[in-house]
Amino acid sequence: MKRLALLLALAALAGCGWDSGDDAAITGGGVVDEDILTVYSSLPAPGRGAAADIVAGEKLALAERGGRVGRFTVNFVSVDEAPGRNAAAEAARAAIADAQAVAVIGGLRTAETRVTAPLLNAAGYLQVVLGASYPGFTRPGVPGEPGRYKPAAQPTFARLGGDAGDEAEALVAAAIDPRPRFVSGRAGSAPAGRTLAIEAEAGDEAAALAAAVRAAAGRAGLRLVANPARADAVVYASEDPVAAAGVLETLAREAPRATLVLPEALGRAGVRAPRAVTVTSAPVPPRGFAARYRAAFGRAPGAYSPLGFAAMDRVLDAIAAAGDRARTRRAVIRAFAATGRDAPPRYAIRRVPSRPGR
């Protein structure tokens, strides 16, 4: 019976379409006038790859609560946050136009999050960010940051994982020892003489990650070298999987003994490279998750399914904590912040297939 109820709940979620919410006007202060709330998922190509796994995890978390939190019915809408400024803005505005919306889960890439963060902040929507690690969203970077991303002054941006500094420590840990494992906090100490080269694509986000890796490498005692051919490991700072393919092919050829260490954005996008590892901040699945996921969807969960589940679970916890005040978006934002974790993010080091199917 439990499985039947879960399947019925998932079927109901699959039927949820976009609704402008004309009958649920917003009163002053961002208050929804009905007992129906909507959580948006804004991801690139949500029907395939890691994004599809995240969406399935989100649906499962909501279905397991029967689509309700307290007095509220909670709907789910998935929109395609395609690459590019216009597409990202359109995805954000779809949520903003829905008067029942209280939160948006997304923010996989920095490029699109630069567009969506100020729009959602100005409108007062909680934005749960799953992957954009650029530190300028939350602390000073280039001039105007982080203020340009929160024009309303009130914080609405909430990372589920870490920023570039946290990821850099995990990347350096992988450069020191590429064996698959979990790491958290500082990278540790490198063996004497171990060398690291850092390559980066153009752009503020890659530069910020490269700088964080350089600082973490110094703390760990890695010796930095300019020539990748002389390095034991090479970190490539990039969010662009298309550009990365050619660069990694060249690095693999020119540095035949080096381990290639890829940031999470490239691993999540499915980039392949020989002798490569990546890091992921996707959480460890809760007990019984794989069995419940398989029962609901008829397949094993992907690596990022637990991330979608955890994100939706925390949003629903925030709605529950806000109680009757969940009709006010600001109350949901405050409740979400109050459920935050103080421990440093945990990353998994994983091997990257050298080619599809391996």
Side-chain angles (χ1 to χ4, degrees), residues 270 272 353-358:
R272 304 290 187 254
S354 58
R355 59 179 183 271
R358 291 295 299 275

Side-chain angles (χ1 to χ4, degrees), residues 42-143:
S42 183
L43 301 169
R48 65 176 188 268
D53 292 337
I54 292 170
V55 169
E58 293 166 334
K59 288 182 176 180
L60 182 61
L62 182 54
E64 289 188 343
R65 301 202 192 195
R68 296 191 63 85
V69 176
R71 60 182 270 201
F72 297 101
T73 296
V74 182
N75 289 332
F76 175 83
V77 177
S78 175
V79 294
D80 186 352
E81 188 179 288
R85 293 184 59 85
N86 292 339
E90 183 178 351
R93 290 181 180 124
I96 294 168
D98 186 343
Q100 296 170 331
V102 293
V104 178
I105 300 171
L108 274 185
R109 286 169 32 98
T110 293
E112 286 71 45
T113 307
R114 287 181 187 274
V115 178
T116 60
L119 291 173
L120 293 171
N121 178 264
Y125 288 78
L126 171 65
Q127 183 179 22
V128 181
V129 177
L130 304 181
S133 64
Y134 180 60
F137 289 125
T138 55
R139 51 191 173 91
V142 301

Side-chain angles (χ1 to χ4, degrees), residues 228-229 245-258 260 273-275:
V247 173
L248 292 172
E249 182 179 349
T250 300
L251 286 173
R253 183 175 62 252
E254 294 181 352
R257 71 183 186 90
L260 304 181
R275 306 184 315 281

Side-chain angles (χ1 to χ4, degrees), residues 6-355:
L6 179 59
L7 292 174
L8 289 173
L10 285 166
L13 288 175
C16 288
W18 183 84
D19 184 348
S20 66
D22 291 339
D23 295 330
I26 300 177
T27 62
V31 179
V32 178
D33 278 345
E34 291 185 356
D35 290 347
I36 301 173
L37 308 176
T38 302
V39 177
Y40 272 72
S41 175
S42 183
L43 301 169
R48 65 176 188 268
D53 292 337
I54 292 170
V55 169
E58 293 166 334
K59 288 182 176 180
L60 182 61
L62 182 54
E64 289 188 343
R65 301 202 192 195
R68 296 191 63 85
V69 176
R71 60 182 270 201
F72 297 101
T73 296
V74 182
N75 289 332
F76 175 83
V77 177
S78 175
V79 294
D80 186 352
E81 188 179 288
R85 293 184 59 85
N86 292 339
E90 183 178 351
R93 290 181 180 124
I96 294 168
D98 186 343
Q100 296 170 331
V102 293
V104 178
I105 300 171
L108 274 185
R109 286 169 32 98
T110 293
E112 286 71 45
T113 307
R114 287 181 187 274
V115 178
T116 60
L119 291 173
L120 293 171
N121 178 264
Y125 288 78
L126 171 65
Q127 183 179 22
V128 181
V129 177
L130 304 181
S133 64
Y134 180 60
F137 289 125
T138 55
R139 51 191 173 91
V142 301
E145 292 177 346
R148 69 176 62 175
Y149 302 115
K150 50 177 183 179
Q154 297 289 338
T156 58
F157 183 99
R159 279 197 181 92
L160 204 64
D163 66 8
D166 300 302
E167 184 176 5
E169 295 289 350
L171 293 170
V172 169
I176 293 171
D177 180 358
R179 291 177 299 175
R181 66 193 191 281
F182 289 101
V183 295
S184 182
R186 290 291 174 89
S189 299
R194 188 160 180 85
T195 55
L196 173 69
I198 303 171
E199 300 287 315
E201 69 175 1
D204 292 341
E205 52 266 33
L209 181 58
V213 169
R214 192 171 296 109
R219 289 189 291 268
L222 279 169
R223 183 164 64 88
L224 295 176
V225 295
N227 185 355
R230 297 174 52 202
D232 296 305
V234 180
V235 170
Y236 179 56
S238 170
E239 279 197 345
D240 185 345
V242 177
V247 173
L248 292 172
E249 182 179 349
T250 300
L251 286 173
R253 183 175 62 252
E254 294 181 352
R257 71 183 186 90
T259 298
L260 304 181
V261 183
L262 313 185
E264 182 168 22
L266 297 184
R268 187 173 55 237
V271 169
R272 304 290 187 254
R275 306 184 315 281
V277 296
T278 188
V279 299
T280 173
S281 58
V284 176
R287 185 183 299 275
F289 176 80
R292 303 196 314 269
Y293 187 100
R294 188 182 293 276
F297 299 107
R299 64 181 188 275
Y304 282 89
S305 301
L307 180 61
F309 186 92
M312 178 62 79
D313 210 42
R314 273 198 63 189
V315 170
L316 298 178
D317 283 348
I319 293 172
D324 289 345
R325 295 177 298 112
R327 295 172 57 248
T328 305
R329 296 191 185 102
R330 190 171 299 170
V332 175
I333 293 168
R334 289 172 176 166
F336 189 94
T339 65
R341 280 56 164 174
D342 295 328
R346 184 164 77 157
Y347 289 82
I349 299 172
R350 293 178 175 168
R351 292 192 176 94
V352 172
S354 58
R355 59 179 183 271

